[in-house]
Amino acid sequence: MTSATTRLRPDVVVRIENLSKSFDGRLVLDGVGLTVRHKKIVAIIGQSGGGKTTLLRCLNLLERPDHGLLEVAGETIFSGDEVRCHDLAKLRQSVGMVFQRFNLFPHLTAVENVMLAQLRAGIPEQDALERAVQLLRRVGLAHRGVAYPEQMSGGEQQRVAIARALALRPKVLLFDEPTSSLDPESTAEVLRVMRELADDGMTMVLVTHELPFAREVADWVVFVDGGRIVEEGEPAEVLGKPRELRTRTFLASYAAGQ
């Protein structure tokens, strides 16, 4: 990666300015700006199709923005309309991601899934194994190390995915609707692990429909609609006393569906 601009404050892990992205002529992100500080949890909420997941995927260049500025962990990774990061593997060590659908390798056991990225990063096999076992223990799955994904519940698979995302000690961890495909019991298991990560001071950006969890855990809530940030602030403000009509309408719709 190229060296970062000196404007980035030491406690800022992610800075986004005027970020835009289109798909087939449809504007999905429209001039988005956001700052994520060290050891803070930012929850992104909003209706499906509003641009939340695209914003998350731009942060590790799984999607290439059309225009704007992205800085992660002190490095400029995208500026203007050009990618400035020439080592995507290194970027994705700094920016871990947990996907909605787990994305585990079906032919690998839990411990092998957690080891794989470490081995590709050049970490010795024994060290990778020890860290994988440690992380599986951290997410409550020490007893499932030799299980394959098809032998695990959805909640167990998602916890393995969290362990895998932590394996390379990322600066920030991204979660894309991590509980949307889980039953209530599995959801509770995953949210417990995420709560523990928050207590440990992990910097996190999460797209979520779990508004009570966002209210409890997040330091900052961002409401995205139509590719724009409509409102942002502390959870008590955005979720309890929203200023914008669009935010109030969304929250009322959410409450009616519960």
Side-chain angles (χ1 to χ4, degrees):
M1 300 182 197
T2 60
S3 59
T5 174
T6 57
R7 291 174 296 167
L8 196 63
R9 285 177 42 168
D11 66 333
V12 173
V13 180
V14 174
R15 185 160 75 95
I16 303 168
E17 288 185 0
N18 197 30
L19 197 72
S20 298
K21 173 67 179 177
S22 296
F23 290 108
D24 299 324
R26 182 173 69 91
L27 193 59
V28 178
L29 295 178
D30 184 8
V32 171
L34 182 66
T35 297
V36 181
R37 303 198 184 281
H38 183 54
K39 294 187 177 182
K40 299 299 182 182
I41 295 97
V42 174
I44 302 175
I45 64 172
Q47 286 188 325
S48 297
K52 305 184 304 297
T53 292
T54 300
L55 175 58
L56 212 63
R57 290 173 64 87
C58 283
L59 285 178
N60 59 7
L61 297 183
L62 286 173
E63 297 290 353
R64 175 178 171 154
D66 297 330
H67 182 81
L69 176 72
L70 283 175
E71 294 176 357
V72 177
E75 305 287 345
T76 300
I77 66 169
F78 188 89
S79 181
D81 60 359
E82 296 182 359
V83 173
R84 299 297 180 89
C85 168
H86 302 294
D87 188 345
L88 291 181
K90 183 179 177 183
L91 171 65
R92 288 163 190 163
Q93 290 177 29
S94 295
V95 185
M97 188 159 183
V98 178
F99 298 89
Q100 182 176 345
R101 290 290 181 179
F102 324 136
N103 287 9
L104 298 179
F105 290 99
H107 63 289
L108 299 179
T109 64
V111 74
E112 289 168 340
N113 265 282
V114 181
M115 288 176 65
L116 185 60
Q118 300 179 73
L119 297 175
R120 288 179 173 174
I123 296 172
E125 184 173 355
Q126 186 59 37
D127 293 343
L129 174 60
E130 290 176 3
R131 178 148 178 79
V133 170
Q134 173 195 22
L135 287 170
L136 288 174
R137 184 179 300 113
R138 182 177 183 181
V139 299
L141 291 174
H143 62 297
R144 300 292 274 156
V146 297
Y148 290 90
E150 67 177 10
Q151 298 170 323
M152 293 185 281
S153 69
E156 288 175 333
Q157 291 184 64
Q158 193 62 292
R159 284 185 283 160
V160 172
I162 293 172
R164 178 182 60 185
L166 290 168
L168 294 175
R169 296 179 171 87
K171 301 290 194 309
V172 57
L173 199 54
L174 311 178
F175 291 87
D176 184 17
E177 295 278 14
T179 62
S180 63
S181 60
L182 302 179
D183 59 67
E185 185 175 357
S186 295
T187 294
E189 294 171 352
V190 171
L191 294 182
R192 174 186 58 78
V193 171
M194 294 173 66
R195 199 172 283 113
E196 290 172 356
L197 291 174
D199 291 342
D200 289 344
M202 185 74 208
T203 304
M204 295 189 283
V205 181
L206 55 125
V207 169
T208 183
H209 65 282
E210 296 284 347
L211 298 193
F213 180 72
R215 183 190 298 271
E216 174 191 350
V217 173
D219 299 290
W220 199 253
V221 173
V222 178
F223 173 57
V224 174
D225 188 65
R228 296 184 176 185
I229 293 179
V230 174
E231 185 167 355
E232 62 180 309
E234 295 180 355
E237 297 172 351
V238 176
L239 300 177
K241 297 180 291 185
R243 300 182 306 275
E244 302 295 330
L245 175 60
R246 184 67 192 92
T247 314
R248 294 196 295 270
T249 301
F250 169 76
L251 293 175
S253 176
Y254 174 87
Q258 297 305 294

